[in-house]
Amino acid sequence: MTDPTLLVLDADPLPRLGRLTGRVRIVHTDEGGLAARLPTADVLLVWDFTSHAVRRAWPGEGPRPRWVHTASAGVDHLMCPELAASDTVVTNGRGVFEQPIAEYVAALVLAMAKDLPRTWELQRRGEWRHRESQRVAGTRAVIVGTGPVGRAVARVLKALDIRTALVGRRPRTGIHGPEDLDRLLSRADWVVAAAPLTDGTRGMFDARRFGVLQPSARFVNVGRGALVDEEALAEALAKRWIAGAALDVFAAEPLGPQSPLWRLPGLIVSPHMSGDTVGWRDELGTQFVELYERWAAGRPLYNVVDKQRGYVPGH
């Protein structure tokens, strides 16, 4: 019996798969070679989770891998109708990013409340300017997205004595449904977007939603860039409909040097790094090896994505 073929869509640095040596035939490819190699693969590891090559290559001719794993939480970069309709199992990197993202959100909340960006700017200019900052304890946060990231954000913000409300796809115990969102937004001091990208969430933070927020509110997006109408956010900040915002994800990445978002007053821009702590790639590699060993032994996989919904169900 021949060893299974594992096809890896490469990104630098390559994944560490040492425990699989001699147990699987590992083939590496870049975007250009993916379509030709897909029919020969039993398993596809999408290590380059910024690439859209899978979505383009999947509808081609020939057999397709029985299992696809992406080294990311989001799956919108690889899903296409043909993959969604197939028998191929899709898994993701759930479990690696949640706590780091929650810590990052807390850091952004504190930085904005304590006016740290302005403090650093004044320091660079050698200006001594005393100011008052905001107390975060007792403020209200609305977190849109009730998956592992949203729940981790809620836990960390609660530790700062911030009152949190979670909004999900449907109401249940401790979680609000979409019908409560506008009411909650109108009273929020902090709004955190942590939802997956689906047809129902795409562009959900638009001019109307930013208009619902109170002028003292601040907005943070650590979900997917396309959740936000970036032009509407820019207008909301320019017209001071809201007090500030922080974006770690964008509709197009990397953000081009000519984008007005770089220079928008009141906006903190970071390059999709909220979940990336020291050693995160090794964690992703270890997770995939564990999943592969389950797959090879015929045991059920965890982190299985509902391909119609676009995320791992159960929350």
Side-chain angles (χ1 to χ4, degrees), residues 13-16 47 96 278-288:
L14 296 177
R16 296 182 180 180
W47 191 247
V96 173
V278 175
W280 64 283
R281 290 184 179 87
D282 289 342
E283 288 186 56
L284 287 168
T286 298
Q287 181 187 63
F288 175 75

Side-chain angles (χ1 to χ4, degrees), residues 264-312:
L264 193 62
L267 178 63
I268 298 173
V269 169
S270 59
H272 204 149
M273 58 182 283
S274 61
D276 301 346
T277 52
V278 175
W280 64 283
R281 290 184 179 87
D282 289 342
E283 288 186 56
L284 287 168
T286 298
Q287 181 187 63
F288 175 75
V289 170
E290 291 174 353
L291 280 165
Y292 183 87
E293 289 174 338
R294 294 178 70 95
W295 180 82
R299 296 165 58 202
L301 295 174
Y302 56 85
N303 288 6
V304 175
V305 173
D306 182 319
K307 294 184 291 183
Q308 303 304 319
R309 296 183 185 180
Y311 55 86
V312 178

Side-chain angles (χ1 to χ4, degrees), residues 18-304:
R19 276 179 18 212
L20 300 184
T21 301
R23 300 164 57 189
V24 58
R25 177 173 174 262
I26 301 175
V27 177
H28 294 271
T29 187
D30 58 13
E31 293 186 349
L34 180 64
R37 290 183 170 88
L38 268 180
T40 67
D42 298 291
V43 179
L44 172 63
L45 169 57
V46 185
W47 191 247
D48 184 0
F49 53 82
T50 65
S51 171
H52 293 270
V54 175
R55 194 162 60 191
R56 295 191 296 267
W58 195 271
E61 296 294 326
R64 289 296 180 259
R66 292 173 282 162
W67 168 36
V68 175
H69 178 78
T70 177
S72 61
V75 298
D76 50 280
H77 60 291
L78 56 86
M79 293 304 296
C80 61
E82 292 81 2
L83 174 54
S86 73
D87 293 331
T88 297
V89 175
V90 176
T91 57
N92 70 358
R94 176 181 175 179
V96 173
F97 302 103
E98 291 88 311
Q99 183 63 24
I101 292 175
E103 293 172 3
Y104 201 87
V105 170
L108 290 170
V109 166
L110 290 169
M112 288 189 281
K114 305 307 178 185
D115 201 20
L116 293 184
R118 193 175 182 206
T119 295
W120 293 325
E121 178 59 31
L122 291 170
Q123 177 181 342
R124 282 193 292 270
R125 291 177 1 205
E127 257 184 75
W128 180 281
R129 189 179 302 177
H130 180 270
R131 290 145 12 250
E132 295 177 344
S133 64
Q134 181 183 1
R135 184 195 299 256
V136 299
T139 58
R140 299 173 184 268
V142 174
I143 301 155
V144 181
T146 58
V149 170
R151 298 199 303 271
V153 170
R155 286 195 302 271
V156 173
L157 294 188
K158 283 179 182 177
L160 297 172
D161 283 339
I162 296 174
R163 289 176 282 179
T164 63
L166 280 160
V167 179
R169 187 174 57 90
R170 57 182 176 81
R172 52 212 188 268
T173 303
I175 293 174
H176 297 269
E179 63 277 4
D180 291 336
L181 180 57
D182 286 353
R183 175 180 60 82
L184 292 168
L185 291 179
S186 69
R187 304 169 61 193
D189 300 292
W190 312 98
V191 177
V192 181
L197 182 61
T198 67
D199 290 341
T201 62
R202 186 180 299 273
M204 68 181 299
F205 290 100
D206 54 12
R208 189 189 69 78
R209 284 262 160 73
F210 289 122
V212 168
L213 300 181
Q214 54 188 350
S216 60
R218 294 180 175 94
F219 175 79
V220 176
N221 187 13
V222 289
R224 308 299 290 170
L227 299 176
V228 178
D229 180 334
E230 292 174 351
E231 289 186 8
L233 174 61
E235 182 181 20
L237 287 167
K239 294 183 176 179
R240 299 186 180 179
W241 293 347
I242 61 175
L247 300 179
D248 185 57
V249 287
F250 301 86
E253 296 181 5
L255 193 64
Q258 302 308 312
S259 171
L261 295 176
W262 289 112
R263 294 165 289 279
L264 193 62
L267 178 63
I268 298 173
V269 169
S270 59
H272 204 149
M273 58 182 283
S274 61
D276 301 346
T277 52
V278 175
W280 64 283
R281 290 184 179 87
D282 289 342
E283 288 186 56
L284 287 168
T286 298
Q287 181 187 63
F288 175 75
V289 170
E290 291 174 353
L291 280 165
Y292 183 87
E293 289 174 338
R294 294 178 70 95
W295 180 82
R299 296 165 58 202
L301 295 174
Y302 56 85
N303 288 6
V304 175

